[in-house]
Amino acid sequence: MQLVQVLDVIERLLVASEHPDIVSVERYGTATEPWGPDVARNRAQGSIAGVKVTHASTSSALLNGRIAPNAVPVIAPSEVPPPSLRAPRLVMFVSQLLDVARPREFASWQLVSQPDGPSDLPYGIGIACADGTNMLLMCQSTGAMVGSEPSEEPFPDYVIPEGVKTCLQEVSAHRAAPA
């Protein structure tokens, strides 16, 4: 699979999640391959591509394709990080969406962190694609641009909707239909 195809799956899942804390999901960048690992390659590529999620607090989290050969598998914390930790929070949410949707394009996924980062929180997702390719999506975030992040879980009763299970099937069926 190519980076754009992996990002398509993630974007569709985030949109289908209808999470009340997510005010927008948008794509950015024009890269066709993951970013990294060296400066010369990055300059030749020209940009980084990913999915940007903007939250009700005006903070954002950016999940993008990376090459980070030393990413370390991380076990999901028992509790979702607070809203002030948007990057690991988004990564865990995307992993939950993948667990519900079980996209046939992906064979498996694993939460990861950078080797020099906090070892108890995920900052990325390693994805083994069904076609044998591997993709790494890493996340970074910005704080609230106006005001501050909520100190407590803003939507404790949120449940992933049934539409997450079928949102990818609609795309697959559309692609398979004769033109």
Side-chain angles (χ1 to χ4, degrees), residues 76-82 92 121:
S78 58
E79 293 185 27
V80 176
M92 287 183 65
L121 291 174

Side-chain angles (χ1 to χ4, degrees), residues 71-131:
V72 179
V74 175
I75 295 172
S78 58
E79 293 185 27
V80 176
S84 60
L85 296 173
R86 288 294 181 187
R89 189 175 171 88
L90 178 66
V91 167
M92 287 183 65
F93 183 57
V94 168
S95 179
Q96 291 168 349
L97 294 173
L98 289 168
D99 289 344
V100 169
R102 312 298 290 167
R104 64 177 172 223
E105 296 90 345
F106 300 164
S108 63
W109 45 93
Q110 168 73 48
L111 295 172
V112 299
S113 190
Q114 295 283 6
D116 57 350
S119 60
D120 59 337
L121 291 174
Y123 279 84
I125 300 175
I127 299 172
C129 301
D131 68 359

Side-chain angles (χ1 to χ4, degrees), residues 28-36 38-49:
Y28 65 91
T30 58
T32 58
E33 295 180 28
W35 184 259
D38 61 64
V39 175
R41 182 180 184 280
N42 294 339
R43 284 191 181 137
Q45 189 172 337
S47 77
I48 190 166

Side-chain angles (χ1 to χ4, degrees), residues 141-163:
S141 61
T142 68
M145 302 298 153
V146 177
S148 59
E149 295 288 5
S151 58
E152 296 178 8
E153 183 64 44
F155 300 97
D157 298 330
Y158 171 78
V159 176
I160 295 173
E162 286 296 312

